[in-house]
Amino acid sequence: MNNTMDNETERLDELNDRYARALLPLTITFGFFAVFGFFGNLIILLVFSLSRDYKRNNFKVFVLTLAVIDMVICVTLIPAEMVKQRKYFEFGDVVTCKVKCFFNVFGASSSCLAFLVISIDRVRKVVQPFKKQMSPAIAVRILIVVACVFPILLAVPGTIMCGIKTTNMTNIHGGNTTIHLCETEEKYEKSIWRTVYKFTFIILLVGISVTYIVLYTFVMREAAKQMKAISMQRKHSSLETVFTTGIYYQNTIVNETPVSNIVKSDNTGSYMSVGTIINNGSLSKGSLENGDLKQRESIEQIRRKNVRPQKTKHFPTKTIIWFILTIVFIVTYFTLNILTLNVGKIVNMSPSEFTLFSFFFRIYFLNHVINPIVYAMFVKRFRSSCRNVFPMLLSKLR
């Protein structure tokens, strides 16, 4: 009788080890993510902080902000997830569990809101280039509040409600084994505050993701119009055609403001489009004769040298970079939210089913390690700077 009962039971450590062995390849993969993400984002910080090739503009501010967020996740959340996978069903460390829950919420909300600020900046730069722009100093202040302080406040309630949950799981013999999971504590599971918090977070993520799509629709449409204008400029060599198209951007990483079709007024300190000035009639022949001498000489110098705006067949590089990273974020975190609905079913999953579920459930880790790859693909100067980062660092230390 006793032997029969022993054969139908599976101790907690045996059940946990069985699933941990199945999760081992995924745990190793996440370890690679953590190492690659840490060193990749460290290189980003060194390159953009130390190299003189990258002037202080919004692009640099955004790159450094995302690098800091991603590095924090790579040294906290991903290692904590690896620990959890080794002790998934006998997780008894409350402190580690709460730390993991905190960075789960912080990482998602911080990246989400940082990309929102970036998408707004893209719209201002591409769609509304002649309106007042977000300066690097203002961008830093906004990101501190939006992508740092607010995510911390948002993560606190989730951390409080997170803890060790004790339940039963069907073991290999068909019996029940008591397990301990790092999830929402039982006393908060049916709480109205837990429901409000969960749906607030989901609505925030969905709402901001829809905002991304709308904003980048405007950006891409305007970029397409610019490409069409450049095509017209190639067919008509007259500089007047270039000015009247309203082309205003350069496909560069360092410079935010093009020099070929922007004239700075010494009286106001503001920038105006040459094409806009000509089209609006504010620089007629008479006004040129009576207007500011330096402004007149600047425009006539452009005419004499026949300086044309930089040509490109592609969308602006920075727009492509932010669009790709935003799409990766939306896809990975939507996958997380959809699979969250099935978390309660893990107690009925086989080891292979649980491993597959865990892979897609944590696929959002890609969001925190992909940035160095995207920069290397699209920013030639970043690739060359990476090769020189260690000599550059040694020279700084000396």
Side-chain angles (χ1 to χ4, degrees):
M1 182 72 176
N2 291 334
N3 292 335
T4 303
M5 292 181 61
D6 290 339
N7 291 333
E8 293 179 354
T9 60
E10 184 178 26
R11 297 197 315 269
L12 176 59
D13 58 336
E14 294 175 337
L15 182 148
N16 187 82
D17 288 344
R18 183 160 55 88
Y19 279 81
R21 286 194 299 271
L23 286 170
L24 184 58
L26 186 59
T27 305
I28 294 173
T29 300
F30 287 163
F32 172 77
F33 282 3
V35 174
F36 179 83
F38 173 79
F39 285 105
N41 287 290
L42 178 62
I43 290 173
I44 290 174
L45 291 174
L46 292 174
V47 166
F48 280 87
S49 299
L50 301 179
S51 177
R52 296 179 180 178
D53 293 335
Y54 305 94
K55 297 179 181 178
R56 192 170 185 268
N57 53 27
N58 288 0
F59 182 77
K60 180 176 180 177
V61 170
F62 296 147
V63 167
L64 293 177
T65 300
L66 291 177
V68 170
I69 294 172
D70 293 341
M71 182 175 286
V72 169
I73 297 303
C74 287
V75 299
T76 56
L77 180 58
I78 300 180
E81 178 63 24
M82 294 169 64
V83 172
K84 182 179 179 181
Q85 289 184 354
R86 303 310 297 163
K87 298 181 178 181
Y88 202 100
F89 298 103
E90 56 175 350
F91 207 100
D93 190 347
V94 178
V95 175
T96 304
C97 178
K98 287 188 177 292
V99 169
K100 182 183 180 302
C101 291
F102 174 85
F103 284 106
N104 256 332
V105 179
F106 174 81
S109 55
S110 184
S111 297
C112 179
L113 293 168
F115 281 124
L116 178 62
V117 176
I118 292 171
S119 62
I120 293 173
D121 178 73
R122 282 294 88 200
V123 171
R124 300 291 291 182
K125 286 286 193 304
V126 177
V127 181
Q128 301 171 327
F130 301 122
K131 291 188 177 181
K132 187 176 180 180
Q133 299 295 317
M134 187 189 304
S135 68
I138 293 176
V140 170
R141 295 191 190 100
I142 292 174
L143 287 167
I144 289 175
V145 175
V146 172
C148 182
V149 177
F150 183 68
I152 290 175
L153 297 176
L154 192 62
V156 169
T159 305
I160 294 173
M161 290 184 282
C162 187
I164 305 302
K165 174 184 175 181
T166 301
T167 184
N168 290 323
M169 181 175 180
T170 303
N171 59 46
I172 195 171
H173 304 295
N176 289 328
T177 300
T178 301
I179 60 175
H180 309 286
L181 302 173
C182 175
E183 290 184 2
T184 303
E185 289 187 27
E186 291 181 44
K187 61 182 178 180
Y188 295 112
E189 208 165 34
K190 296 182 180 180
S191 169
I192 184 64
W193 297 112
R194 169 65 180 171
T195 303
V196 170
Y197 178 74
K198 181 172 66 174
F199 279 100
T200 298
F201 195 81
I202 293 174
I203 291 171
L204 178 68
L205 182 62
V206 173
I208 293 178
S209 297
V210 172
T211 303
Y212 294 151
I213 296 171
V214 172
L215 292 178
Y216 275 106
T217 298
F218 288 121
V219 171
M220 293 302 181
R221 185 174 64 179
E222 184 63 26
K225 289 167 63 176
Q226 294 173 13
M227 293 171 64
K228 183 178 179 180
I230 291 173
S231 178
M232 290 173 57
Q233 183 260 328
R234 289 197 183 99
K235 296 178 181 178
H236 304 86
S237 59
S238 170
L239 190 60
E240 294 289 339
T241 303
V242 181
F243 288 153
T244 57
T245 58
I247 302 170
Y248 53 83
Y249 75 91
Q250 278 185 309
N251 188 21
T252 67
I253 291 300
V254 178
N255 297 322
E256 291 283 354
T257 307
V259 296
S260 58
N261 59 339
I262 301 294
V263 177
K264 182 177 181 180
S265 170
D266 292 335
N267 296 329
T268 64
S270 62
Y271 289 87
M272 299 180 67
S273 165
V274 176
T276 303
I277 295 170
I278 293 175
N279 285 336
N280 292 339
S282 58
L283 273 178
S284 61
K285 183 176 180 181
S287 64
L288 280 174
E289 293 175 353
N290 299 322
D292 182 80
L293 179 62
K294 291 183 178 180
Q295 192 180 66
R296 182 175 73 247
E297 289 176 349
S298 297
I299 296 175
E300 291 185 353
Q301 184 180 18
I302 292 174
R303 292 181 181 277
R304 284 197 305 270
K305 293 184 178 180
N306 196 28
V307 179
R308 294 186 175 91
Q310 184 173 345
K311 302 176 183 179
T312 178
K313 294 181 180 180
H314 307 286
F315 283 96
T317 302
K318 284 177 283 187
T319 298
I320 294 176
I321 290 173
W322 298 135
F323 180 73
I324 291 174
L325 294 178
T326 303
I327 290 298
V328 171
F329 175 84
I330 292 174
V331 171
T332 56
Y333 274 95
F334 260 98
T335 303
L336 167 67
N337 280 277
I338 292 172
L339 292 180
T340 300
L341 302 175
N342 296 316
V343 167
K345 299 179 181 179
I346 63 174
V347 294
N348 298 319
M349 294 181 183
S350 66
S352 58
E353 291 172 338
F354 182 64
T355 301
L356 186 63
F357 174 85
S358 298
F359 171 75
F360 287 103
F361 191 59
R362 299 304 181 192
I363 199 171
Y364 67 88
F365 287 160
L366 284 174
N367 183 66
H368 302 290
V369 302
I370 198 175
N371 292 32
I373 299 173
V374 174
Y375 299 151
M377 288 174 60
F378 291 97
V379 187
K380 183 178 180 181
R381 184 168 293 162
F382 177 73
R383 295 196 296 270
S384 61
S385 298
C386 287
R387 290 192 290 267
N388 301 324
V389 63
F390 291 109
M392 179 176 59
L393 182 60
L394 290 175
S395 65
K396 292 287 183 180
L397 292 175
R398 290 173 184 170

